[in-house]
Amino acid sequence: MKESTQTSSRKLDHLRICCDKQVEVGSAGFEDVRLVHAALPECDLDAIRLETRFLGARLAAPLFIAAMTGGHPATTEVNRRLARVSERFGLAMGVGSQRAALEHPDLAESFSVVRDEAPHAFICANLGAVQLREHGAEWAERAVEMIDADALCVHLNFLQEAIQPEGDHDARGCLAAIADLCEDFKTPVIVKETGAGISKETAGLIWGAGAAAIDLGGFGGTSWAAVEVERAEEEHLRALGKTFLDWGIPTAVSLCEVAGSGPVIATGGVRNGIDIAKALALGADLGGMALPLLKPAMDGEEALTAVVSMILQELRAAMFLTGAGSVADLRKTRAYITGTTRQMLEE
Ligand SMILES: Cc1cc2nc3c(=O)[nH]c(=O)nc-3n(C[C@H](O)[C@H](O)[C@H](O)COP(=O)(O)O)c2cc1C
């Protein structure tokens, strides 16, 4: 199979596996976080304001639709629905890795549909750090132009690369490539993990490279080890993937390590509006979700609209019950941290 065709069909494999198989592993740690209940909230549930700002843009709510798809003609409809819902609700949204369309420009429509359907939304382009190292600012610019993006996400997925048969095993030079890009790229760069989390040390390197924001992509949600276990045709790769099912920094721990150092999106095992509220109370700017939105997006726009409405309703209720009338108030809310999350933070 040609490399470009391989990239494109891999994208479809990922979508099918994430929809049909159990790919969530472990816990992001949000069960260890308890928001302090306000028995006298002194605010009106129906007047709670979810509006927020991120990298200078106005968003109607702090929910980020995390990168998932594009790169195969069959994914166009999924991206169309995600984009229509992001436009309707005023949410930020990321597209999946644009590598396939950069290699094979006739796949660009599966991404550009997002800007067509969401002309006002904050949309993030997506490129792997390895592709950035190989192709530099030229690919970054083409990715941004393809969807008229407001930001570019550079993804880190070395756990997946390590256990994927066709994986890129050489991670050297990726940090330098990010730093080179950030030096004079006009579009803000967000560095994102994809399910294994970012430590405070790695965050220091990312800020040092000049990134505008970090998406933690922590452990406890979609596991790329689990996805690769499902894809593996060879027994030794399946076994390798299984050994690494439990690898990574849980999102709540990663968030406590990185919060306060710059704009942060907490993604990875965020599963409802209460998790978003907890993430914001711990210092995140936005809560990101991928997998919980995938199945509804495959089912149709109505199903996706219902799920997003429910998440925002849960977030509003959690804000009400902590006495937070706005996102700024929520970010000042106190939380108790217990269990493994507390232990890990005290290490
Ligand atoms: C089907 C699927 C495809 C994904 N593809 C990409 C991708 O192409 N680029 C990327 O940066 N992240 C990708 N991700 C990772 C998500 O953006 C997110 O970081 C991760 O799934 C953790 O969030 P979750 O637990 O809510 O799923 C993908 C996730 C899913 C479920």
Side-chain angles (χ1 to χ4, degrees):
M1 220 188 306
K2 268 175 59 191
E3 208 184 329
S4 52
T5 323
Q6 212 179 30
T7 309
S8 174
S9 79
R10 189 165 61 224
K11 289 282 119 187
L12 209 53
D13 280 359
H14 288 158
L15 225 52
R16 289 201 187 110
I17 291 170
C18 287
C19 260
D20 299 343
K21 306 283 183 186
Q22 175 55 37
V23 293
E24 288 181 277
V25 177
S27 162
F30 289 112
E31 77 283 1
D32 290 337
V33 182
R34 192 169 281 263
L35 293 172
V36 177
H37 174 66
L40 274 170
E42 285 295 322
C43 61
D44 175 359
L45 173 57
D46 298 325
I48 300 270
R49 295 181 310 283
L50 297 185
E51 305 86 64
T52 191
R53 294 190 79 90
F54 183 69
L55 298 181
R58 261 173 214 282
L59 305 176
L63 166 61
F64 182 73
I65 302 178
M68 271 185 283
T69 201
H72 188 286
T75 64
T76 307
E77 200 46 41
V78 181
N79 260 345
R80 183 193 311 281
R81 292 170 189 157
L82 290 167
R84 286 172 66 91
V85 167
S86 92
E87 178 77 8
R88 173 166 343 148
F89 286 90
L91 306 177
M93 169 186 167
V95 298
S97 168
Q98 289 166 265
R99 176 183 178 180
L102 290 163
E103 288 170 343
H104 213 265
D106 48 315
L107 293 170
E109 200 207 336
S110 63
F111 295 102
S112 59
V113 66
V114 168
R115 183 49 88 199
D116 297 343
E117 296 291 347
H120 306 100
F122 187 91
I123 302 292
C124 300
N126 190 295
L127 197 59
V130 172
Q131 282 70 54
L132 177 67
R133 182 191 64 196
E134 300 305 308
H135 301 276
E138 191 223 323
W139 266 33
E141 261 156 35
R142 283 176 56 208
V144 166
E145 268 170 32
M146 193 186 297
I147 59 170
D148 188 18
D150 299 287
L152 170 70
C153 288
V154 176
H155 72 253
L156 311 175
N157 66 333
F158 288 106
L159 167 60
Q160 184 186 17
E161 300 290 359
I163 54 182
Q164 191 169 249
E166 64 278 34
D168 286 301
H169 291 174
D170 186 358
R172 289 172 298 177
C174 288
L175 180 63
I178 293 170
D180 278 354
L181 180 72
C182 293
E183 210 175 311
D184 49 14
F185 201 55
K186 291 183 290 297
T187 310
V189 174
I190 302 172
V191 176
K192 80 182 283 280
E193 239 294 344
T194 48
I198 303 262
S199 66
K200 57 175 177 288
E201 293 83 2
T202 304
L205 298 175
I206 294 170
W207 297 132
I214 291 178
D215 183 339
L216 303 169
F219 171 83
T222 303
S223 158
W224 288 96
V227 174
E228 293 304 331
V229 165
E230 293 294 341
R231 277 187 76 230
E233 283 167 13
E234 294 170 38
E235 189 45 48
H236 85 276
L237 286 174
R238 208 178 349 258
L240 184 63
K242 281 185 184 163
T243 313
F244 280 85
L245 283 177
D246 195 36
W247 185 271
I249 308 169
T251 303
V253 175
S254 180
L255 175 55
C256 291
E257 291 206 4
V258 177
S261 57
V264 168
I265 307 173
T267 306
V270 172
R271 292 296 174 259
N272 53 48
I274 303 182
D275 288 347
I276 298 177
K278 289 177 178 178
L280 267 67
L282 295 182
D285 292 78
L286 305 177
M289 289 192 194
L291 197 66
L293 305 177
L294 179 60
K295 248 192 201 138
M298 304 277 273
D299 288 347
E301 200 178 319
E302 211 177 307
L304 183 61
T305 301
V307 168
V308 169
S309 300
M310 177 58 105
I311 293 165
L312 298 182
Q313 201 178 330
E314 291 162 349
L315 173 60
R316 255 189 217 100
M319 289 171 70
F320 176 58
L321 295 172
T322 56
S326 67
V327 167
D329 292 345
L330 178 59
R331 296 189 79 225
K332 286 184 241 145
T333 294
R334 194 157 63 86
Y336 304 105
I337 302 180
T338 62
T340 311
T341 304
R342 188 185 189 116
Q343 278 171 16
M344 286 182 77
L345 291 168
E346 284 171 354
E347 284 299 309

